[in-house]
Amino acid sequence: MLVHTPSVRRIIALTSIASAVLLSAGCSRGTTTAEAEAAESFREPVTITNCERTATFDAPPQRIISMNDHVTETLIQMGVGDRIVGMGYGEQPDPLSETAEQFRAIPSLAKEYPTSEQVLDLEPDLIVGGMRSAFDDKNGLGRDSLEAAGIATFLFSEYCGQGFPDISLLENDFAQLGAILGVEESATALTEGIVAGLDTIRACLDAAGAQPVRTFFYDSGEAEPLSVGGVGIGNLIGDYAGIENITAEGPKPYFATSWEVVGERQPEAIVVLDYGSISAADKIAFLRNHPVMATTPAVRNDRFVVVPLDDFFESSRMVASADTIARALHPEAFAG
């Protein structure tokens, strides 16, 4: 039986609605009563292992610095936005609608990452990073240095070095965050919404008998292209969206390949990541005029899909990116 378009949209909408309910429920913390009580102390200390680092929390952190915008959105969705005392990458012009009000109320520390002085001045008890670059030793923000100063750290496991093999990585990260922050129910609801959204997209494709489309991910680069390897979240999103990543041999989430390799593999579609000073339209124009890429079915058939880079991180935005790609490349699965 064909799963029609409204089912997918409904799952995505429900994910947003669930997040909004979590934000508005309960007392001023934006959590349920039980979670608000848990925010003061644990019955027992909580111990986690994150990126091979073991840490024990005697009480839920109350002064959080979020180093990346997708982390900020995730923490708000879990109901702890009011505990964020400052954020890096705080100039996100288009935060998720259900997080926008709280997002804009959080002090932005820097266009990118704050300095160590800014961080220490705020006396945080937890710093959460969404990329390895958030904890840069050169800037005095290495995890060893911060933890020596009595500041706990947490890094989204996408950047622990093992890639993003499947959605269980997100499930574990969000469960750990929920446990150390005392908001297990909110974290579980958020995770279940993300998993349900991705599974519904895959179910639509399976029901329609959709075959994977050979696709090239274009991040950037003119002398050589930066593309998506087989170990990152982009590859996982592509799998849910009905894509065969033509550069899946890449050992990193993003890696440099060559135009000759891409041309030889004749992609049928191209996903263009939209960010930075070079617009997606300019990237597409470059690809259309490139002598190698002009020979590919993707360019000849004008089969481009544009996705914001913000939607290619470990967060609820994964559902939107998978949905965008799947609808563009497999419209037959969503007809009716």
Side-chain angles (χ1 to χ4, degrees):
M1 178 179 178
L2 178 63
V3 183
H4 292 295
T5 298
S7 299
V8 182
R9 292 298 190 196
R10 190 175 301 118
I11 288 291
I12 296 173
L14 287 174
T15 303
S16 297
I17 291 169
S19 299
V21 169
L22 293 172
L23 292 174
S24 62
C27 65
S28 62
R29 293 189 184 278
T31 62
T32 64
T33 301
E35 288 175 334
E37 292 171 352
E40 300 302 326
S41 63
F42 298 125
R43 292 181 180 176
E44 298 179 359
V46 172
T47 299
I48 64 161
T49 299
N50 168 245
C51 295
E52 300 183 350
R53 289 172 175 266
T54 299
T56 297
F57 294 80
D58 295 321
Q62 299 296 310
R63 294 184 61 80
I64 304 168
I65 291 179
S66 170
M67 298 292 271
N68 301 92
D69 49 18
H70 66 284
V71 174
T72 303
E73 290 179 337
T74 297
L75 293 173
I76 292 172
Q77 289 172 318
M78 289 185 181
V80 296
D82 64 326
R83 299 191 215 169
I84 303 175
V85 295
M87 60 179 170
Y89 280 88
E91 298 182 17
Q92 160 67 270
D94 189 27
L96 293 171
S97 59
E98 70 267 24
T99 69
E101 183 176 356
Q102 285 199 38
F103 191 100
R104 294 184 178 119
I106 296 168
S108 173
L109 302 178
K111 183 177 180 180
E112 294 185 359
Y113 292 123
T115 65
S116 58
E117 290 79 8
Q118 288 176 299
V119 167
L120 294 175
D121 284 347
L122 286 171
E123 299 183 345
D125 50 12
L126 175 65
I127 299 177
V128 185
M131 302 176 69
R132 187 178 296 127
S133 55
F135 297 113
D136 190 343
D137 288 312
K138 295 179 182 178
N139 296 333
L141 292 172
R143 297 186 75 179
D144 287 338
S145 299
L146 291 168
E147 289 167 10
I151 303 170
T153 63
F154 187 95
L155 175 62
F156 277 27
S157 296
E158 177 183 0
Y159 286 89
C160 285
Q162 303 302 315
F164 208 116
D166 55 56
I167 199 64
S168 66
L169 198 73
L170 179 147
E171 292 175 316
N172 185 63
D173 276 355
F174 285 18
Q176 289 188 332
L177 278 172
I180 66 178
L181 294 170
V183 289
E184 292 94 334
E185 291 181 8
S186 300
T188 297
L190 177 60
T191 301
E192 289 177 348
I194 294 168
V195 173
L198 293 171
D199 285 347
T200 300
I201 293 166
R202 180 175 280 169
C204 287
L205 299 175
D206 289 345
Q211 297 302 305
V213 176
R214 289 175 52 76
T215 301
F216 167 53
F217 288 93
Y218 181 51
D219 177 283
S220 59
E222 294 190 359
E224 58 182 12
L226 190 68
S227 190
V228 168
V231 297
I233 197 168
N235 191 70
L236 182 64
I237 288 169
D239 181 58
Y240 278 103
I243 275 179
E244 178 188 341
N245 177 10
I246 68 166
T247 57
E249 80 283 356
K252 299 178 181 179
Y254 295 90
F255 78 109
T257 183
S258 71
W259 293 116
E260 290 72 22
V261 166
V262 177
E264 288 172 1
R265 296 178 183 179
Q266 293 286 288
E268 300 167 315
I270 299 173
V271 171
V272 176
L273 297 183
D274 187 14
Y275 72 101
S277 60
I278 302 176
S279 69
D282 286 342
K283 290 181 180 181
I284 291 171
F286 169 76
L287 293 171
R288 284 181 177 142
N289 292 306
H290 191 281
V292 173
M293 295 305 297
T295 70
T296 64
V299 174
R300 293 201 309 268
N301 296 322
D302 199 31
R303 208 172 182 192
F304 294 95
V305 185
V306 176
V307 180
L309 181 64
D310 284 336
D311 291 358
F312 261 57
F313 289 103
E314 184 182 348
S315 74
S316 64
R317 289 176 177 259
M318 292 174 62
V319 181
S321 57
D323 185 60
T324 296
I325 296 167
R327 289 173 182 279
L329 300 186
H330 300 285
E332 73 284 355
F334 304 92

